Amino acid sequence: MQLWSLNGNTQQLDGGAMFGNAPKAMWSRWIEPDASNRIPLACRCLLAKDLDGRNVLFETGIGAFFEPALRERYGVVESQHVLLESLASLGLSHEDIDVVVLSHLHFDHAGGLLAAWEEGKPPQLLFPHARFLVGAQHWQRAWKPHPRDRASFIPELQHLLQDSGRLELVAGEYSQTLGRAVRFSFSDGHTPGLMLSEVAGVVFCADLIPGRSWVHLPITMGYDRYPEALIDEKRVFLEDKFARNVRLFFTHDHACALARVTRDERGRYGTTDEQPELRGIV
């Protein structure tokens, strides 16, 4: 089994929104904003190649499903479906993926499930041979979102996943599809039922910890539903990964895919052994 980081479409979003109540004087030292106050963000996916004989993709990024006006509004840089290009670089297509694991269904994590936008065509679900794994609690949230995060969901996506006949809702540590190969845990601070996946000593942090800067406990996003709960969840999460030497995989960090957790004498968490990409590590 090998782990690969795959680039999806990138975004440029407002730095203030991404760092919540942290002042710009602080966060601009970590990620330099452009003239419009936007910072670069990855939508990075994790591929477990030959995991018990299957290709398992953790998330699909934002993809290219937005029409041009919305692509501009949400700061999507590329018009083509970058994840499909990343798969092709490994000699794979979306048809070769056996399982897609989704931490949650916000468009910047699940939009890559859809084909690139074409005028006059309805949304088309890719990955025709894959089973789709979604947290059971979050699935309910996606059907009945709060006004606060309704715009983060793709209305057609839940119907397409349900109608595929290949959807599994995960409620515990392990799924029927992947068995003991992938261990799941759940978080509510960013969105109810966010599903975190651990495979071969690597954990997909999703939006609990979008990148290195958010490893600091007080730092949350303006997009988080329950920031105080998220901080408490993050503390427990990081302590566990530090104790077990589990590496962190970041989806939104524009320059770092993987890192190890550190903790100083004052109990502050940080990262070390930072890697910009994974290229087939076992």
Side-chain angles (χ1 to χ4, degrees):
M1 194 271 290
Q2 297 179 336
L3 295 179
W4 297 78
S5 61
L6 299 180
N7 292 325
N9 291 64
T10 57
Q11 283 186 279
Q12 294 177 316
L13 289 181
D14 184 84
M18 287 300 298
F19 284 102
N21 64 351
K24 183 178 180 180
M26 177 184 292
W27 61 255
S28 61
R29 299 200 305 265
W30 303 329
I31 306 178
E32 184 178 358
D34 65 12
S36 299
N37 209 48
R38 299 176 304 179
I39 61 172
L41 296 168
C43 288
R44 186 181 293 107
C45 311
L46 177 65
L47 174 67
K49 197 173 182 183
D50 196 22
L51 177 63
D52 293 340
R54 291 177 288 188
N55 294 321
V56 180
L57 183 64
F58 296 85
E59 299 209 340
T60 61
I62 197 168
F65 75 97
F66 276 135
E67 61 180 84
L70 289 177
R71 188 172 73 237
E72 174 67 23
R73 177 186 299 177
Y74 290 110
V76 183
V77 176
E78 307 88 358
S79 60
Q80 77 276 18
H81 201 316
V82 175
L83 175 60
L84 300 186
E85 296 177 349
S86 296
L87 284 168
S89 72
L90 297 180
L92 298 173
S93 78
H94 67 101
E95 296 180 347
D96 297 311
I97 300 300
D98 301 295
V99 184
V100 178
V101 180
L102 298 154
S103 70
H104 61 306
L105 295 175
H106 288 173
F107 61 68
D108 56 326
H109 295 258
L113 289 171
L114 302 175
W117 176 83
E118 291 186 58
E119 188 170 6
K121 289 191 176 182
Q124 176 189 347
L125 187 65
L126 300 174
F127 305 95
H129 304 128
R131 289 188 61 80
F132 303 106
L133 273 56
V134 181
Q137 180 187 359
H138 184 71
W139 180 251
Q140 298 304 316
R141 174 73 168 202
W143 281 109
K144 297 181 180 179
H146 190 274
R148 169 81 166 156
D149 66 349
R150 183 176 293 126
S152 296
F153 292 96
I154 306 168
E156 301 88 350
L157 184 58
Q158 288 84 255
H159 296 279
L160 290 170
L161 290 173
Q162 184 168 261
D163 293 346
S164 74
R166 293 176 277 117
L167 174 67
E168 180 184 350
L169 301 181
V170 182
E173 270 193 303
Y174 301 102
S175 68
Q176 181 178 355
T177 298
L178 294 174
R180 298 270 166 169
V182 178
R183 179 186 178 194
F184 298 106
S185 60
F186 299 88
S187 164
D188 295 325
H190 175 68
T191 186
L194 179 78
M195 189 165 71
L196 304 156
S197 306
E198 184 178 326
V199 54
V202 172
V203 63
F204 196 107
C205 296
D207 278 347
L208 177 66
I209 307 176
R212 290 165 295 174
S213 302
W214 293 267
V215 168
H216 304 291
L217 287 180
I219 303 301
T220 62
M221 296 187 290
Y223 302 108
D224 296 328
R225 301 286 71 80
Y226 309 107
E228 291 186 7
L230 185 140
I231 290 170
D232 293 337
E233 292 172 339
K234 188 162 55 170
R235 179 186 288 109
V236 173
F237 179 87
L238 287 170
E239 180 57 33
D240 173 68
K241 304 310 175 281
F242 176 73
R244 296 193 293 117
N245 196 30
V246 174
R247 290 169 292 179
L248 309 180
F249 185 91
F250 301 124
T251 184
H252 287 315
D253 194 309
H254 71 290
C256 178
L258 191 73
R260 295 187 188 274
V261 185
T262 62
R263 188 182 62 194
D264 66 17
E265 64 280 356
R266 297 176 61 184
R268 295 177 300 191
Y269 293 101
T271 56
T272 189
D273 191 19
E274 299 169 347
Q275 301 178 37
E277 59 183 357
L278 282 72
R279 303 297 296 172
I281 68 167
V282 179

